[in-house]
Amino acid sequence: MLDFDNAPKKATNLSLNSKVLELARELGLNISQTVDELLAEEVRRRYRAQWNEDNKEAVAAYNARVAQYGLPLARYRSFGRRLGDGKADT
């Protein structure tokens, strides 16, 4: 999905809180690496949230179909026959 591991680095300018930056340096933090990791995490989080929003109707339709008809290949399962078939006990 979102793979940032082998992407090249690009220089950029940031405005950061001076006190936080000073303390981070005193603590020996690698500012670039820390910001890069946190930004990638936030991008992934927002990407997933946007995907969920964009696809909520399709997911709801699939869930309704499973609730009504069960999982598509459930009859071929050799384990947990009643688990996850989506059908309500009658």
Side-chain angles (χ1 to χ4, degrees), residues 2 4 9 11 13 16 19 21 23 36 38-39 47 49-50 52 55-56 58 62 69 71-72 74 82-83:
L2 295 177
F4 303 128
K9 302 289 182 185
N13 293 322
L16 302 172
K19 290 181 182 179
L21 184 59
L23 187 54
D36 192 43
L38 292 171
L39 184 59
Y47 182 89
Q50 186 63 53
N52 286 335
N55 293 285
K56 69 181 178 184
Y62 177 78
Y69 301 109
L71 293 171
R82 289 297 300 159
L83 297 177

Side-chain angles (χ1 to χ4, degrees), residues 2-70:
L2 295 177
D3 182 17
F4 303 128
D5 293 337
N6 296 318
K9 302 289 182 185
K10 181 175 180 164
T12 188
N13 293 322
L14 295 175
S15 296
L16 302 172
N17 181 302
S18 61
K19 290 181 182 179
V20 173
L21 184 59
E22 180 182 338
L23 187 54
R25 286 185 176 147
E26 287 176 15
L27 293 170
L29 289 173
N30 181 325
I31 306 300
S32 294
Q33 180 181 1
T34 302
V35 170
D36 192 43
E37 290 172 1
L38 292 171
L39 184 59
E41 189 178 306
E42 182 65 10
V43 167
R44 285 186 190 98
R45 186 189 69 76
R46 289 186 185 205
Y47 182 89
R48 284 191 301 268
Q50 186 63 53
W51 188 94
N52 286 335
E53 180 63 28
D54 292 345
N55 293 285
K56 69 181 178 184
E57 291 177 15
V59 171
Y62 177 78
N63 288 339
R65 185 181 185 286
V66 169
Q68 184 174 0
Y69 301 109

